[in-house]
Amino acid sequence: MTSIKTRIAPSPTGYLHVGTARTALFNYLFAKQNKGEFVLRIEDTDKERSTKEFEDDIKEGLSWLGIEWDHTHTQQAEMEHHKKVLEELIEKGAAYVSQEEVKKEGDRPEVIRFKNPKTPITFKDIIRGEVTMETESLGDFVIAKDMESPLYHLAVVADDANHNVTHVIRGEDGISNTPRQILIQQALGYKTPIYAHLPLILAPDKTKLSKRHGAVSIIEYKKMGYLKEALLNYLVLLGWHPKGEEEILSLEEMIKLFSLESVQKGGAIFDTEKLNWINRHYVGNLNESEFEKYIQNYVPEEIINHSKKEAIYELLKERIDKASDIQELHENGELSYYYKEPALDTDLIGGNKKAPPKEETIRHLEALIEALNNAEFTKEDIKNAVWSYAEEHGRGNVLWPMRYSLSGAPKSPDPFTLAEILGKEETIKRLTKACNALQ
Ligand code: GLU
């Protein structure tokens, strides 16, 4: 039995796209569950547009996600082989040198064309079943610009065969290339690999996912502070679903459960809400020191150095979908009140909608100050000290001024949690300041 070999074949003409990462993952899982090999082939035949920076980004992104390849090579490195394959095709009469069909007069550079027998092609697709496509309309298509410059179809066929690729698992957008590639394989007497064309990844508006929908590269998701385990877990669900209810899967579990046969045919919608849900799940599993490390590049210095940082981190852990949300919270003034006395809008101290008369809010603040002066300062103690008063005078009328005086922000954790973090002295100071501001 030949051992299974799959490959991902990105062109280094852009950053690692989520779609490429998903396709890489499916190739990886299929190879690993069959004790086979997974190859990374950098398709750099387009010399002008291919860059080392993009190649490095693709490799870094795949490694970061944990999608490790067993072997990697570039197409440039296979040039000699491509040339031999071209020569063989010409010798066999399956390809010929012709002049490029250019409209304008003058130079008519030569190109190498495949002599298309125009027979219909039928191939086995694990996801789509048997697929038959006509080839007549393809004409004698160009396979190389010259003997040194093979084009995509020739290079793919030569490399897949040379490296014994058994399964070509790629995006559905590649399906129209398949008949041309099979024609070339047949002309060379190569075995046709088994195909699996994966569903496209679509934006919520059902159009192909692209830049205008937001982030599309893995590096952008990394920068936003998604955990690699979460992103990988999300990617596996783009077009495939495990049999049971459980959607949270480690890489090992994916290798065990993944099934190429049960990949869906229809497009897979990229749903950021779902990604966020999965990320929250993984964030929830981080212990204190892991969480601290996870957010360290996103959290302001003042919080890192805060004497109550553990308590603040616990709150942040509840509130964020991903690490960069912390920056957003900070920009919206939802972190600075932990370490800096907030500026208060006197009109908002009593409430943000129907505030009771000023005098009433002053009385509530004075009562709060008195009650808290005599209280121990754990969250529970604080709540116990003010709860019955708040019940009696209307929770909103009492607790809004308390919370707002401490945070100066339209949104913040509840006043008891805030007061505990700020400590007694600072809490009383801020309540007094609010009270004075109303006089
Ligand atoms: N370089 C091609 C792409 O990025 C690879 C397609 C294939 O897997 O054959 O779309």
PDB file of all heavy atoms in Angstrom, residues 7 9-11 43 152 156 170, ligand 1:
ATOM      1  N   ARG A   7      -0.414  17.744   0.440  1.00  0.00           N
ATOM      2  CA  ARG A   7       0.405  18.954   0.405  1.00  0.00           C
ATOM      3  C   ARG A   7      -0.454  20.197   0.464  1.00  0.00           C
ATOM      4  O   ARG A   7      -1.619  20.206   0.074  1.00  0.00           O
ATOM      5  CB  ARG A   7       1.310  18.936  -0.825  1.00  0.00           C
ATOM      6  CG  ARG A   7       0.803  19.451  -2.151  1.00  0.00           C
ATOM      7  CD  ARG A   7      -0.496  18.917  -2.642  1.00  0.00           C
ATOM      8  NE  ARG A   7      -0.795  19.235  -4.015  1.00  0.00           N
ATOM      9  CZ  ARG A   7      -1.528  20.269  -4.442  1.00  0.00           C
ATOM     10  NH1 ARG A   7      -2.062  21.117  -3.588  1.00  0.00           N
ATOM     11  NH2 ARG A   7      -1.759  20.453  -5.721  1.00  0.00           N
ATOM     12  N   ALA A   9      -0.077  24.099  -1.002  1.00  0.00           N
ATOM     13  CA  ALA A   9       0.782  24.715  -2.022  1.00  0.00           C
ATOM     14  C   ALA A   9       0.540  26.208  -2.158  1.00  0.00           C
ATOM     15  O   ALA A   9       0.099  26.689  -3.194  1.00  0.00           O
ATOM     16  CB  ALA A   9       0.543  24.003  -3.349  1.00  0.00           C
ATOM     17  N   PRO A  10       0.817  26.969  -1.118  1.00  0.00           N
ATOM     18  CA  PRO A  10       0.542  28.410  -1.201  1.00  0.00           C
ATOM     19  C   PRO A  10       1.554  29.156  -2.067  1.00  0.00           C
ATOM     20  O   PRO A  10       2.715  28.768  -2.153  1.00  0.00           O
ATOM     21  CB  PRO A  10       0.658  28.874   0.249  1.00  0.00           C
ATOM     22  CG  PRO A  10       1.566  27.890   0.897  1.00  0.00           C
ATOM     23  CD  PRO A  10       1.364  26.587   0.191  1.00  0.00           C
ATOM     24  N   SER A  11       1.082  30.205  -2.711  1.00  0.00           N
ATOM     25  CA  SER A  11       1.981  31.090  -3.438  1.00  0.00           C
ATOM     26  C   SER A  11       2.412  32.195  -2.477  1.00  0.00           C
ATOM     27  O   SER A  11       1.560  32.775  -1.798  1.00  0.00           O
ATOM     28  CB  SER A  11       1.256  31.723  -4.615  1.00  0.00           C
ATOM     29  OG  SER A  11       0.685  30.710  -5.395  1.00  0.00           O
ATOM     30  N   GLU A  43       4.753  27.786  -3.861  1.00  0.00           N
ATOM     31  CA  GLU A  43       4.576  27.916  -5.313  1.00  0.00           C
ATOM     32  C   GLU A  43       5.019  29.300  -5.785  1.00  0.00           C
ATOM     33  O   GLU A  43       4.204  30.215  -5.931  1.00  0.00           O
ATOM     34  CB  GLU A  43       3.116  27.633  -5.688  1.00  0.00           C
ATOM     35  CG  GLU A  43       2.728  26.221  -5.297  1.00  0.00           C
ATOM     36  CD  GLU A  43       1.732  25.571  -6.246  1.00  0.00           C
ATOM     37  OE1 GLU A  43       0.774  26.231  -6.661  1.00  0.00           O
ATOM     38  OE2 GLU A  43       1.926  24.377  -6.560  1.00  0.00           O
ATOM     39  N   TYR A 152       1.831  27.549 -13.864  1.00  0.00           N
ATOM     40  CA  TYR A 152       1.173  26.839 -12.760  1.00  0.00           C
ATOM     41  C   TYR A 152       0.804  25.367 -13.031  1.00  0.00           C
ATOM     42  O   TYR A 152       1.232  24.468 -12.297  1.00  0.00           O
ATOM     43  CB  TYR A 152      -0.052  27.657 -12.341  1.00  0.00           C
ATOM     44  CG  TYR A 152      -0.960  26.956 -11.386  1.00  0.00           C
ATOM     45  CD1 TYR A 152      -0.516  26.627 -10.111  1.00  0.00           C
ATOM     46  CD2 TYR A 152      -2.254  26.601 -11.755  1.00  0.00           C
ATOM     47  CE1 TYR A 152      -1.344  25.960  -9.227  1.00  0.00           C
ATOM     48  CE2 TYR A 152      -3.092  25.942 -10.877  1.00  0.00           C
ATOM     49  CZ  TYR A 152      -2.630  25.622  -9.615  1.00  0.00           C
ATOM     50  OH  TYR A 152      -3.441  24.963  -8.752  1.00  0.00           O
ATOM     51  N   VAL A 156       2.548  22.241 -11.075  1.00  0.00           N
ATOM     52  CA  VAL A 156       1.755  21.479 -10.094  1.00  0.00           C
ATOM     53  C   VAL A 156       1.806  19.976 -10.424  1.00  0.00           C
ATOM     54  O   VAL A 156       2.072  19.143  -9.553  1.00  0.00           O
ATOM     55  CB  VAL A 156       0.284  21.960 -10.082  1.00  0.00           C
ATOM     56  CG1 VAL A 156      -0.613  20.982  -9.343  1.00  0.00           C
ATOM     57  CG2 VAL A 156       0.191  23.322  -9.444  1.00  0.00           C
ATOM     58  N   ARG A 170      -7.666  20.714  -1.857  1.00  0.00           N
ATOM     59  CA  ARG A 170      -7.512  22.155  -2.053  1.00  0.00           C
ATOM     60  C   ARG A 170      -8.873  22.820  -2.160  1.00  0.00           C
ATOM     61  O   ARG A 170      -9.901  22.156  -2.210  1.00  0.00           O
ATOM     62  CB  ARG A 170      -6.676  22.428  -3.302  1.00  0.00           C
ATOM     63  CG  ARG A 170      -7.294  21.919  -4.583  1.00  0.00           C
ATOM     64  CD  ARG A 170      -6.361  22.166  -5.755  1.00  0.00           C
ATOM     65  NE  ARG A 170      -6.823  21.531  -6.964  1.00  0.00           N
ATOM     66  CZ  ARG A 170      -6.048  21.320  -8.032  1.00  0.00           C
ATOM     67  NH1 ARG A 170      -4.783  21.691  -8.029  1.00  0.00           N
ATOM     68  NH2 ARG A 170      -6.538  20.748  -9.099  1.00  0.00           N
TER      69      ARG A 170
HETATM   70  N1  GLU B   1      -0.764  27.848  -5.523  1.00  0.00           N
HETATM   71  C1  GLU B   1      -2.127  27.439  -5.637  1.00  0.00           C
HETATM   72  C2  GLU B   1      -2.967  28.363  -4.807  1.00  0.00           C
HETATM   73  O1  GLU B   1      -2.432  29.050  -3.942  1.00  0.00           O
HETATM   74  C3  GLU B   1      -2.245  26.000  -5.173  1.00  0.00           C
HETATM   75  C4  GLU B   1      -3.422  25.283  -5.653  1.00  0.00           C
HETATM   76  C5  GLU B   1      -3.227  23.776  -5.453  1.00  0.00           C
HETATM   77  O2  GLU B   1      -3.294  23.355  -4.288  1.00  0.00           O
HETATM   78  O3  GLU B   1      -2.962  23.074  -6.398  1.00  0.00           O
HETATM   79  O4  GLU B   1      -4.143  28.456  -5.021  1.00  0.00           O
END
